[in-house]
Amino acid sequence: QVQLVESGGGSVQAGGSLRLSCAASGDMYSSYCMGWFRQAPGKEREGVAAIESDGRIHYTDSVKDRFTISQDHAKYTRYLQMNSLKPEDTAMYYCAVEWRCTEPTAARAYNYWGQGTQVTVS
């Protein structure tokens, strides 16, 4: 089993920045896909960004050039740097991991999820 803990959410004004962290512990594998997702009230969970163990990175169009996904292998931690935040970025943000990367930004492709961290942009 793997455990994921997100942190770094909060409330910011439009145009501001936040950095989310996702710390992983437990059973880890060298091959993985790690994604950031978000879910606003009344909406489906949406893939935001994903990073594969070989370094390939994927972003959804709405966050390209604003969000950056990165990782610190030594700390088993992945990050989502969010700049130029907009009110429509308001959502609960989740990180997820899967050991086979089939659909990097599709929530259905992931089995292991964190509890989420709230991001509110006003």
Side-chain angles (χ1 to χ4, degrees):
Q1 287 289 338
V2 62
Q3 292 79 43
L4 303 172
V5 179
E6 302 97 334
S7 61
S11 297
V12 296
Q13 293 188 335
S17 299
L18 284 172
R19 188 176 82 153
L20 306 184
S21 299
C22 175
S25 61
D27 296 333
M28 302 295 292
Y29 297 89
S30 59
S31 177
Y32 60 83
C33 197
M34 183 272 166
W36 282 100
F37 296 80
R38 64 186 180 188
Q39 189 167 20
K43 294 190 176 181
E44 292 187 357
R45 192 165 294 190
E46 170 191 31
V48 175
I51 188 165
E52 301 185 47
S53 51
D54 62 4
R56 284 181 288 179
I57 289 175
H58 312 268
Y59 294 103
T60 193
D61 286 345
S62 62
V63 307
K64 282 180 181 177
D65 301 323
R66 298 191 299 124
F67 291 10
T68 303
I69 190 171
S70 62
Q71 58 188 347
D72 184 331
H73 290 287
K75 297 181 180 178
Y76 296 107
T77 301
R78 280 76 186 175
Y79 305 96
L80 185 68
Q81 177 68 43
M82 305 186 297
N83 299 327
S84 302
L85 282 163
K86 305 175 180 180
E88 51 264 43
D89 294 319
T90 295
M92 183 71 79
Y93 282 71
Y94 300 89
C95 66
V97 70
E98 190 51 66
W99 310 126
R100 282 190 65 204
C101 210
T102 54
E103 298 176 89
T105 56
R108 60 177 176 267
Y110 292 80
N111 286 307
Y112 301 99
W113 293 84
Q115 293 301 306
T117 185
Q118 178 68 40
V119 171
T120 302
V121 185
S122 59

